Amino acid sequence: MNFVVESNNHGAALFDDGYFTEASAVLQQTLRTLVRVTDGSHEATAESQINIKHKRKDSRVPVQYSNSPSSSFVYQKTLRISYAREIDAPLASCAVLFNLALAKHMNALQVPCSSKKTTLLSSASKLYKMAYETLPDNDAEEATISNLIIALAVLNNLGHIYHEIGEYEVSRLFLDDLSNLCISSKDDHKFAEIAQDIDGLFLNSVLLRTPDMAAAA
């Protein structure tokens, strides 16, 4: 699993530097390796094994090389896997899936409207949903920071993708879920570390309206 950790974090670093295509290639290989070395029987363990890469203070600020105004609504913080004696396979899978989805998502926003863009957004949406499905089904009291921020990020980014392709009703379903989750977790002190992220994502759920939108600044 050490290769998975190194490869995921390398892909995340490439993404943070704006190399979306290269990040996608690295993370795609990471996912293939992860599928081979895991059997899906591992149980979730240490919360500390997933770290949010806080390179940008505002989760709505696009990376330098993005040329799409709507990318300001994409949650762009990558997920890093910490080294541990026993790697939590489901959580590691979630991190790789999310990072790969994010790289494809942002890569799609760099290309003009085309079949390639549609393909990338479709692939990203499937990967986001897979990442969401790997999260433990915890109730509010058992939810961890890692699980919450991943769930919020996935709902936000899926809302953006469906808005981008013009499926506004589907987009609103994801954004409504995002809004409800933000509201339910906002005043929980154990999530104080990600309070700024929650506020920013809640604002996205309000401002990403159909079909017009105003970037949250």
Side-chain angles (χ1 to χ4, degrees):
M1 290 288 286
N2 281 343
F3 170 79
V4 171
V5 174
E6 293 176 2
S7 185
N8 174 77
N9 295 350
H10 176 51
L14 286 170
F15 176 90
D16 288 341
D17 289 335
Y19 297 104
F20 306 135
T21 301
E22 292 83 352
S24 293
V26 169
L27 291 164
Q28 190 73 59
Q29 182 58 46
T30 308
L31 184 59
R32 293 193 190 100
T33 301
L34 189 59
V35 169
R36 289 199 300 268
V37 301
T38 61
D39 59 10
S41 62
H42 303 274
E43 296 183 358
T45 54
E47 152 73 9
S48 61
Q49 290 178 7
I50 293 292
N51 296 321
I52 306 162
K53 180 63 176 178
H54 286 279
K55 184 175 182 180
R56 307 171 190 87
K57 293 182 180 179
D58 187 339
S59 64
R60 301 179 305 281
V61 175
V63 295
Q64 180 179 358
Y65 308 152
S66 175
N67 57 19
S68 170
S70 73
S71 66
S72 59
F73 289 99
V74 180
Y75 186 89
Q76 299 175 37
K77 293 177 182 175
T78 51
L79 303 176
R80 307 295 179 95
I81 307 172
S82 299
Y83 287 92
R85 185 171 301 174
E86 182 178 350
I87 302 298
D88 176 1
L91 209 51
S93 299
C94 190
V96 175
L97 287 165
F98 177 83
N99 288 340
L100 179 56
L102 182 56
K104 288 179 177 290
H105 190 169
M106 292 304 297
N107 195 18
L109 299 182
Q110 311 311 301
V111 299
C113 293
S114 64
S115 59
K116 180 180 179 181
K117 179 175 183 176
T118 301
T119 299
L120 285 168
L121 289 175
S122 175
S123 178
S125 68
K126 291 176 183 177
L127 290 163
Y128 281 134
K129 291 172 184 176
M130 290 172 65
Y132 192 87
E133 290 170 359
T134 65
L135 288 172
D137 187 18
N138 294 331
D139 58 30
E141 292 185 357
E142 296 178 341
T144 65
I145 290 177
S146 294
N147 293 347
L148 177 63
I149 198 61
I150 294 171
L152 291 171
V154 167
L155 291 172
N156 180 83
N157 290 1
L158 283 170
H160 175 268
I161 285 178
Y162 283 101
H163 188 284
E164 188 76 7
I165 63 178
E167 295 190 23
Y168 302 120
E169 291 185 6
V170 178
S171 174
R172 285 309 315 169
L173 291 175
F174 285 111
L175 293 172
D176 285 344
D177 285 345
L178 172 64
S179 176
N180 292 334
L181 187 54
C182 286
I183 292 171
S184 67
S185 57
K186 180 177 175 58
D187 296 325
D188 193 323
H189 294 300
K190 72 179 178 181
F191 299 132
E193 180 182 335
I194 57 171
Q196 184 178 0
D197 297 83
I198 294 173
D199 288 343
L201 291 167
F202 176 75
L203 192 56
N204 279 358
S205 72
V206 173
L207 294 179
L208 194 55
R209 293 296 176 178
T210 308
D212 298 322
M213 60 185 177

